[in-house]
Amino acid sequence: MNIKWNPSEYKSGFSFVNKYGEDVLELFSLREGSFVCDLGCGRGELTSKLKAMGYEALGVDASEDMIKAAGDAYPNIKFEWGNGLDFKLPKKADGIFSNAVFHWIDGSLQEKLIKNISENLRQGGELVCEFGGKGCADKVHNTLREIFEKRGLSYTYEFYFPTIGEYAPMLEKQGLRVVYAALFDRPTPQPKGLRGWIEMFDKKPFENIDTELKNNIISEAEDALRPVLFSGEQWIVDYVRIRLKAVKL
């Protein structure tokens, strides 16, 4: 994962990530009692939804802080530390679910991720996922890149936002038949504003920059983007999502 999470900050200002993910759960067509892994479960909100749907749910996340927060919030659900590239489930899953996770993993590692997911699914098992798609937050990233370059700085960009045409063949290569795929715009209101979004989700470019310069860059980005991303009442980031369902052959 190309980011380290703060569970309390995530809960206080960015719970919309889980709220949007609830719709994705409806893509499952599994029987009650099926074993489903929530890969990249975070604080466990959607893992709890899986359990409420009647599934045997297990949450897996690469953040120890998130796993602890999830276990504290939902003591009746099992949560385990695990990395998407090499996690191993106690038994083959009937379903693997993932929301807003895959775009944090380098493009060079996506085939390894998919291979590991496929190996943890039983034949006929379902992968249901949503993550950032081609063009996600481009207005923000392009504006920040211009501001960085104007100052002689390099803008570090570590997101992976594919098209369906790029991603579906990788799934098929690992024995997963794509039965549903959609790429769509989802302009997303930001409760913490544009600054809050940048400070939570776009940390990498600012790692070696002092606080004053960071604040100046973000303020300049706000000024540049206000005409296109501020509604008059709230900031709305130009999200694009890719939503997929695939079945293990």
Side-chain angles (χ1 to χ4, degrees):
M1 296 286 284
N2 291 329
I3 193 168
K4 182 175 175 60
W5 299 109
N6 181 312
S8 59
E9 288 182 8
Y10 194 88
K11 180 181 180 181
S12 66
F14 302 95
S15 58
F16 65 83
V17 176
N18 295 317
K19 193 67 178 175
Y20 282 115
E22 292 180 13
D23 289 345
V24 190
L25 297 171
E26 297 176 6
L27 289 176
F28 277 123
S29 56
L30 302 172
R31 296 178 179 177
E32 187 172 338
S34 295
F35 174 47
V36 179
C37 169
D38 182 1
L39 180 59
C41 63
R43 294 179 55 90
E45 287 91 344
L46 293 177
T47 323
S48 72
K49 297 288 185 183
L50 287 166
K51 184 175 178 61
M53 291 168 71
Y55 299 140
E56 177 191 351
L58 168 68
V60 173
D61 202 282
S63 166
E64 293 182 359
D65 292 337
M66 285 292 199
I67 287 295
K68 183 180 185 308
D72 290 343
Y74 304 102
N76 61 331
I77 299 176
K78 187 174 182 181
F79 295 94
E80 295 180 353
W81 182 91
N83 187 303
L85 304 178
D86 54 23
F87 75 96
K88 291 292 180 286
L89 298 176
K91 59 183 177 181
K92 298 282 188 180
D94 300 299
I96 291 179
F97 170 77
S98 188
N99 179 58
V101 174
F102 292 1
H103 56 253
W104 295 108
I105 298 173
D106 287 347
S108 63
L109 298 173
Q110 289 291 323
E111 289 199 8
K112 184 176 181 181
L113 167 69
I114 296 168
K115 183 175 187 293
N116 194 43
I117 287 171
S118 181
E119 289 175 349
N120 278 280
L121 275 172
R122 67 163 176 82
Q123 186 176 8
E126 300 175 359
L127 167 66
V128 167
C129 60
E130 182 178 296
F131 54 101
K134 184 74 171 179
C136 188
D138 265 3
K139 289 183 174 67
V140 181
H141 291 301
N142 290 339
T143 297
L144 285 170
R145 184 178 293 107
E146 290 174 5
I147 295 170
F148 269 67
E149 291 176 352
K150 184 172 65 177
R151 288 172 164 79
L153 301 171
S154 177
Y155 182 70
T156 306
Y157 183 85
E158 294 190 334
F159 299 95
Y160 176 70
F161 295 138
T163 65
I164 293 171
E166 291 167 338
Y167 212 75
M170 291 194 289
L171 293 167
E172 293 166 351
K173 183 179 178 181
Q174 300 302 330
L176 295 165
R177 181 168 63 93
V178 178
V179 296
Y180 174 85
L183 182 72
F184 57 96
D185 294 327
R186 196 191 67 207
T188 304
Q190 297 300 317
K192 295 288 186 178
L194 182 63
R195 178 177 292 271
W197 185 90
I198 291 171
E199 290 180 340
M200 172 58 77
F201 296 117
D202 201 16
K203 299 176 181 180
K204 199 73 175 177
F206 298 94
E207 281 186 345
N208 299 311
I209 292 178
D210 64 57
T211 301
E212 182 179 1
L213 179 55
K214 170 188 170 182
N215 288 333
N216 289 340
I217 289 173
I218 295 177
S219 293
E220 186 172 342
E222 288 177 319
D223 290 341
L225 289 165
R226 192 175 300 276
V228 290
L229 295 183
F230 189 68
S231 69
E233 296 181 353
Q234 60 186 343
W235 284 95
I236 302 175
V237 174
D238 53 322
Y239 275 31
V240 178
R241 305 320 262 178
I242 185 167
R243 186 176 290 188
L244 297 161
K245 177 178 178 178
V247 178
K248 173 74 176 289
L249 297 175

